[in-house]
Amino acid sequence: LDSLLQEGGSGLGDPDRIENLGETQLPYSIFLDYVLSLGETKFKPGTWDLVKFNSNCFADEVSQFVCGSGLPKYILDLPQELLETPLGPEISAEAEKVSAKTQESSGITFGLIGNRTVGTLAPRVRDNSPEFDELQAQIDALRADQLSLEERRNALNIKDSKKEEKKKKKKDKEDKKERKDKKLR
């Protein structure tokens, strides 16, 4: 139990590697609103799957929101790599059983200590805080700006490639004319 409560600890012992995902200045209230909204939308009861949509997916999503960077790809790829081993079919069958059992549960569980649940919330309708709504609006605006910039960048790249193509054709035409003139001399 002590290893679960220590930073970087787990029930499996000390980690082989620790990844620094970044830092945040995000207020706790906004973080909590975000996590609870995930529990009502993308990670609502019945969506969890041990292999395809697991706690690593949740941690990746939260990390992107909180720190601006997600989990390393090698961590997200671990379940698929495991399924590609000789024991993969057996693991897949057991994972399906575990995933099916979770379809029956509902609510958000904040943790387990031994066999007792610590704090379970039933799904409910709630309002987001104004700070969360404002932050979400800023994130949406930044994503829209990013898409707009990407579209403009692509349009400029296409325009530049057309200019380059015209220059190349003109040069090829000039080179061809030069060769023809050399032959006539």
Side-chain angles (χ1 to χ4, degrees):
L1 180 62
D2 288 338
S3 67
L4 290 174
L5 301 176
Q6 294 174 358
E7 183 178 336
S10 80
L12 302 174
D14 291 334
D16 293 333
R17 184 173 174 179
I18 297 173
E19 295 287 344
N20 183 352
L21 302 178
E23 296 181 7
T24 188
Q25 298 298 317
L26 198 65
Y28 176 75
S29 62
I30 292 175
F31 170 76
L32 185 59
D33 275 347
Y34 178 72
V35 170
L36 291 173
S37 71
L38 283 178
E40 295 170 353
T41 56
K42 191 170 185 177
F43 294 91
K44 64 185 173 195
T47 59
W48 188 81
D49 181 281
L50 183 61
V51 175
K52 298 175 190 145
F53 201 66
N54 54 38
S55 57
N56 285 345
C57 299
F58 176 78
D60 181 57
E61 184 87 19
V62 171
S63 177
Q64 286 182 30
F65 178 77
V66 172
C67 302
S69 64
L71 296 182
K73 186 171 176 8
Y74 80 89
I75 292 174
L76 297 172
D77 291 344
L78 284 174
Q80 188 58 42
E81 288 177 19
L82 190 59
L83 293 179
E84 292 170 0
T85 66
L87 291 175
E90 289 178 48
I91 293 170
S92 179
E94 289 302 313
E96 285 180 30
K97 289 178 191 174
V98 170
S99 297
K101 285 181 185 176
T102 64
Q103 301 297 325
E104 300 163 7
S105 67
S106 65
I108 302 169
T109 302
F110 286 112
L112 292 173
I113 295 180
N115 288 330
R116 76 182 168 86
T117 302
V118 177
T120 300
L121 293 179
R124 63 183 172 90
V125 176
R126 61 175 188 78
D127 296 327
N128 291 332
S129 71
E131 295 92 359
F132 178 77
D133 290 337
E134 182 181 330
L135 185 60
Q136 192 62 48
Q138 290 173 357
I139 290 169
D140 292 342
L142 287 171
R143 285 182 178 151
D145 286 347
Q146 183 180 10
L147 288 173
S148 175
L149 287 172
E150 188 174 328
E151 287 172 0
R152 289 195 333 215
R153 193 171 29 248
N154 289 340
L156 287 173
N157 286 341
I158 289 170
K159 194 175 182 180
D160 286 346
S161 68
K162 286 181 180 180
K163 282 183 183 178
E164 289 296 319
E165 199 174 303
K166 276 185 176 181
K167 283 182 185 178
K168 187 178 184 293
K169 284 182 181 181
K170 185 177 178 181
K171 185 172 176 10
D172 288 347
K173 192 175 184 179
E174 288 172 359
D175 288 348
K176 188 175 179 181
K177 185 179 178 185
E178 243 181 68
R179 280 183 269 150
K180 191 175 186 180
D181 288 346
K182 282 183 182 179
K183 282 184 182 181
L184 293 175
R185 291 184 202 163

